[in-house]
Amino acid sequence: MKFFESFRIALRALNANKVRSALTMLGVIIGVSAVILLVAIGTGVQHEVTGSIEGLGSNLIFAFPGNVEEGGGGSFSVTRQFSLDDAALLERRLGSKDLVVPIIQSPATLKVGNRELRTTIAAANENGDEVFTADYLGGRGYRRSDVSASARVVVLGSTVRDDLFPYVDPVGKSIDINGQQFTVIGHLAAQGGSLTGDQDNQVYMPVTTAQRLLGTRDIGAIVVKADDPADVNLLQRRIKQILRPKFGNEFSVFTQEETLGILTQLLGTLTVMLAGIAGISLLVGGIGIMNIMLVSVSERTREIGIRKAVGAKTYDIMSQFVIEAVVLSVLGGGVGIGLGWSGAAALTRWVPTEVTWWAVALAFFFSAAVGIFFGVYPAYRASRLDPIEALRYE
Amino acid sequence: MEESAATQARVECVESRVVLEARQVSKCYELDEIEVHALREVDLEVCEGQMLAVMGPSGSGKSTLMHMIGLLDRPTTGNVVVEGVDVSRMSPNELAAVRNKRIGFVFQSFNLLPRTSAQANVELPLIYAGVSLLKRASMARASLERVGLGDRLGHYSSQLSGGQQQRVAIARALVTAPSIVLADEPTGNLDSRSGIEVMSILQDLNRQGITIVIVTHDDGVARHAERVVHMLDGRIVHDELVENRTLAEDRMRELDAEEEAAQ
Ligand SMILES: Nc1ncnc2c1ncn2[C@@H]1O[C@H](COP(=O)(O)OP(=O)(O)OP(=O)(O)O)[C@@H](O)[C@H]1O
Ligand SMILES: [Mg+2]
């Protein structure tokens, strides 16, 4: 009964001060939605990338030329590149059930008629589909014979196909890559981004064909797929043993788990950075709330004086202000959550997003705490004044 | 000064009991280590049903006295007694309850809630008295009708003239049916016609048995009361019964006649 009455008083007071109420809510809304949105982007990117690596299976081992650990960071110089001979060496020395896949990735220009497209070539041997997960919509992948013949055949990612062949089946069509004629033998379903870049915006061809096209005898990396995931660490050691005589320390071998670890660390930093930006917006929102509350103190103190003069008790004053602040914070927080959430949903067209409950809770409770504190504290001080002091307050 | 304090006449309540009493009330403000004595050991008895005016020059302590006997502020020393009960030891919440039930206030600066309708302003004391929603609305309406504002229930303070705002404040003071109404310069911000209207309402209330204390520095306003207390420098220096008390209705009639003649 008494509480219900305080609720009515509070709602009436909020209604009587629409601008102040709206501005306070705006502070909460900005803070909450910014935190939710930015953290959602950070988490979304992180999960999509790590998820797509995990999707490859837990039994991949990556060998790169150059010493990543010593170079520190990633700007390391490569003194000696891998070649197909190194891949063949590994193939010979490792178990016959473990697949060895040489890989090249390189930018290229595609032309069909007068349409032109900049994209990436991803080249491998006949086992390439084990590394670049492929889901054929039409046609086929290249075979062992295509690899040994350096056949000028190509498989299109979904974005490339949609750009160059929007209305027709591309299989059998011819296409110009860096000035050479290729035949399209297959095209893929959309798969999204991954460790190896945006898989949809790539074209796939035999590694030997790519070497000829790019005029090189080098390859970018060697991926080994262990037949039994339990053997991964053993296999990693064997690969190092095999490559050491030729390359010394100038190469690196990572298991999928290690790659994931490095990436997670990198992407974690991104999330922390975004969370930092979000924290700043939360602070700005909080300062906004604080300002409005403090600016309205003198008017509200007079209001408290009037209410006390006509018989309001301390309890009446405090419950009114607590309810006012809670209503504003909860409404603002609710709208902020809705806005952040739908913003995150809308952004998925361009960036992967994932709303996390801790960001929602943190943003909501921080804004609510700021709103309630700065709503209630001045009122608490004013409610302890004699009515006449409150009435005289300037 | 010594002399006037000593020879001060005191009007005693003969036929009726004392509703409000100040006993040796002093109020002292300290500003930058300088003591300002707003009230010096004031004794005052207000009789039930009396209409009393407190007169005096600016700074003589009239408002301060009203705040003390209205329980809006606490004396530095001395006691205030309301209907026989000493309120010195009461908690702020108990004082709030006494103000709510017994005392209505009319301030010089109206003190209405901004952006709030006349009716909601008048309902305010009833909310804190715990009156139910429906009863509250009808009581507020009745009170506003009593001051002639039955057609302005939904108006905000900013949509009312000064005189109308002061009448809303009077309606608010009346709505809990208090036994005492304290008015600080109720006509101070008003033109002569609105001032007379306000005085007429107050005299009317007094006729119905409510004790009224008006603070004013205007002798013409003070002469509407039955008794006038004069203050100077924080002391009551003179206390007299009014002969030939002014009736607001008469002045209203005179004013009407004047205006007609002018036209
Ligand atoms: N809050 C305060 N702090 C310091 N001094 C005060 C305070 N309130 C009042 N005074 C002082 O007390 C004295 C009496 O003030 P009070 O307001 O009672 O005068 P008043 O008779 O009502 O005057 P007026 O007719 O101008 O309203 C004045 O000298 C004033 O300066
Ligand atoms: Mg005064």
Side-chain angles (χ1 to χ4, degrees):
Chain A
M1 168 58 208
K2 196 78 167 140
F3 175 78
F4 178 70
E5 212 48 86
S6 306
F7 209 82
R8 285 183 54 88
I9 295 171
L11 290 189
R12 218 176 229 186
L14 288 179
N15 192 43
N17 301 288
K18 289 190 192 69
V19 175
R20 187 183 64 222
S21 307
L23 286 175
T24 311
M25 266 174 59
L26 195 67
V28 180
I29 290 170
I30 290 172
V32 170
S33 53
V35 169
I36 292 176
L37 201 63
L38 292 174
V39 174
I41 292 173
T43 326
V45 169
Q46 186 173 355
H47 281 185
E48 173 155 319
V49 173
T50 53
S52 66
I53 295 171
E54 278 163 354
L56 293 175
S58 60
N59 45 359
L60 293 184
I61 300 160
F62 303 85
F64 303 98
N67 192 325
V68 174
E69 258 129 60
E70 268 179 20
S75 62
F76 54 94
S77 58
V78 177
T79 47
R80 254 190 108 172
Q81 297 285 358
F82 289 161
S83 69
L84 280 177
D85 294 340
D86 302 315
L89 179 73
L90 283 176
E91 200 160 18
R92 248 180 292 123
R93 302 270 304 268
L94 295 173
S96 57
K97 285 188 172 162
D98 302 318
L99 299 176
V100 176
V101 185
I103 283 176
I104 292 176
Q105 277 184 300
S106 169
T109 308
L110 274 55
K111 261 189 230 153
V112 172
N114 52 6
R115 282 171 194 269
E116 208 176 290
L117 184 69
R118 295 230 12 111
T119 183
T120 306
I121 297 170
N125 62 10
E126 66 277 10
N127 296 319
D129 289 354
E130 305 286 347
V131 181
F132 308 111
T133 28
D135 182 8
Y136 288 87
L137 261 193
R140 61 172 180 88
Y142 49 85
R143 303 189 179 116
R144 194 184 178 86
S145 55
D146 296 321
V147 177
S148 40
S150 313
R152 291 224 278 263
V153 292
V154 69
V155 173
L156 306 183
S158 64
T159 314
V160 177
R161 176 201 56 226
D162 294 345
D163 275 7
L164 296 179
F165 301 97
Y167 307 112
V168 292
D169 182 359
V171 177
K173 295 279 188 305
S174 108
I175 184 171
D176 179 315
I177 302 177
N178 286 5
Q180 296 196 21
Q181 287 298 310
F182 279 72
T183 307
V184 178
I185 55 168
H187 58 105
L188 305 175
Q191 355 211 353
S194 86
L195 176 64
T196 45
D198 180 356
Q199 296 204 54
D200 298 333
N201 193 19
Q202 286 184 347
V203 293
Y204 302 88
M205 63 177 65
V207 63
T208 47
T209 317
Q211 280 184 325
R212 206 175 273 180
L213 182 65
L214 300 169
T216 176
R217 302 192 57 80
D218 299 337
I219 56 173
I222 301 171
V223 180
V224 178
K225 185 174 185 182
D227 185 47
D228 181 358
D231 289 344
V232 162
N233 289 322
L234 187 79
L235 209 53
Q236 182 187 21
R237 250 174 286 137
R238 296 263 337 263
I239 294 171
K240 282 183 181 170
Q241 276 171 8
I242 297 167
L243 294 178
R244 179 142 304 130
K246 186 168 169 190
F247 290 93
N249 277 330
E250 295 306 302
F251 70 101
S252 311
V253 183
F254 298 113
T255 61
Q256 172 142 28
E257 218 169 297
E258 287 167 338
T259 317
L260 259 180
I262 294 168
L263 265 173
T264 311
Q265 222 180 340
L266 216 80
L267 293 167
T269 320
L270 171 80
T271 309
V272 168
M273 213 176 72
L274 287 176
I277 297 171
I280 291 170
S281 19
L282 208 56
L283 205 69
V284 170
I287 289 170
I289 299 168
M290 185 180 84
N291 265 345
I292 292 155
M293 290 296 193
L294 290 181
V295 163
S296 65
V297 158
S298 67
E299 186 188 300
R300 302 233 76 185
T301 302
R302 243 185 311 274
E303 175 187 332
I304 289 171
I306 294 172
R307 290 180 182 277
K308 290 192 78 166
V310 302
K313 303 196 164 93
T314 315
Y315 164 87
D316 299 315
I317 302 289
M318 286 316 292
S319 54
Q320 172 192 340
F321 278 79
V322 169
I323 292 168
E324 273 186 40
V326 168
V327 165
L328 281 186
S329 303
V330 168
L331 276 184
V335 172
I337 289 174
L339 218 65
W341 211 305
S342 47
L347 275 185
T348 46
R349 277 198 55 181
W350 300 281
V351 205
T353 57
E354 201 173 303
V355 176
T356 39
W357 68 267
W358 64 262
V360 174
L362 177 93
F364 184 85
F365 284 111
F366 181 80
S367 306
V370 171
I372 291 171
F373 180 78
F374 286 104
V376 171
Y377 181 65
Y380 166 75
R381 295 223 338 224
S383 76
R384 286 159 43 107
L385 296 175
D386 279 321
I388 204 67
E389 283 178 76
L391 279 173
R392 276 216 201 95
Y393 190 89
E394 285 171 339
Chain B
M1 179 106 337
E2 258 322 87
E3 192 196 18
S4 65
T7 59
Q8 136 185 7
R10 285 193 59 181
V11 175
E12 309 223 325
C13 304
V14 193
E15 301 144 24
S16 52
R17 65 192 183 96
V18 177
V19 284
L20 262 186
E21 197 180 344
R23 291 184 189 154
Q24 293 287 299
V25 167
S26 298
K27 182 72 181 179
C28 185
Y29 293 105
E30 235 171 86
L31 286 179
D32 306 327
E33 318 221 327
I34 301 169
E35 290 195 342
V36 178
H37 293 271
L39 290 178
R40 300 168 196 259
E41 288 153 8
V42 169
D43 280 308
L44 176 69
E45 292 180 349
V46 183
C47 315
E48 184 168 35
Q50 195 169 50
M51 185 157 176
L52 170 75
V54 178
M55 277 270 295
S58 183
S60 56
K62 309 181 293 291
S63 298
T64 309
L65 179 61
M66 192 197 98
H67 298 150
M68 295 301 151
I69 60 177
L71 319 186
L72 292 172
D73 204 351
R74 286 176 188 268
T76 313
T77 59
N79 302 322
V80 172
V81 180
V82 178
E83 297 186 328
V85 182
D86 186 347
V87 300
S88 310
R89 290 231 154 68
M90 284 190 180
S91 72
N93 283 347
E94 287 170 320
L95 292 177
V98 175
R99 285 196 300 270
N100 185 259
K101 281 201 199 69
R102 305 256 176 263
I103 307 174
F105 295 97
V106 179
F107 298 96
Q108 180 172 8
S109 52
F110 315 139
N111 279 334
L112 299 175
L113 290 183
R115 295 177 294 278
T116 304
S117 71
Q119 174 161 349
N121 262 296
V122 176
E123 279 183 28
L124 206 57
L126 296 175
I127 294 175
Y128 297 120
V131 177
S132 77
L133 198 68
L134 284 176
K135 217 167 152 204
R136 222 151 68 197
S138 68
M139 284 168 80
R141 247 176 276 134
S143 191
L144 278 164
E145 270 159 23
R146 203 161 155 191
V147 296
L149 287 177
D151 55 344
R152 295 282 194 280
L153 302 175
H155 284 58
Y156 289 177
S157 322
S158 56
Q159 299 164 334
L160 294 170
S161 73
Q164 288 168 333
Q165 287 183 56
Q166 195 57 298
R167 282 190 280 161
V168 173
I170 295 175
R172 183 180 63 190
L174 296 181
V175 75
T176 50
S179 45
I180 305 158
V181 169
L182 304 180
D184 193 353
E185 308 270 13
T187 60
N189 278 331
L190 306 181
D191 65 24
S192 53
R193 174 173 286 271
S194 314
I196 294 166
E197 274 170 4
V198 164
M199 290 314 295
S200 159
I201 293 167
L202 290 175
Q203 277 188 333
D204 208 38
L205 291 173
N206 180 239
R207 232 168 275 135
Q208 291 161 26
I210 298 177
T211 309
I212 293 185
V213 178
I214 306 171
V215 168
T216 181
H217 59 264
D218 181 344
D219 188 53
V221 171
R223 296 198 63 79
H224 287 75
E226 299 163 281
R227 174 184 166 197
V228 179
V229 166
H230 294 266
M231 291 193 71
L232 190 64
D233 211 11
R235 287 193 180 87
I236 292 179
V237 291
H238 192 58
D239 190 349
E240 59 175 348
L241 289 174
V242 178
E243 287 164 30
N244 291 325
R245 182 182 177 199
T246 312
L247 291 179
E249 280 94 338
D250 295 343
R251 285 189 58 206
M252 188 61 94
R253 241 172 274 129
E254 284 167 26
L255 195 68
D256 286 343
E258 271 173 38
E259 278 178 9
E260 237 167 79
Q263 279 177 2

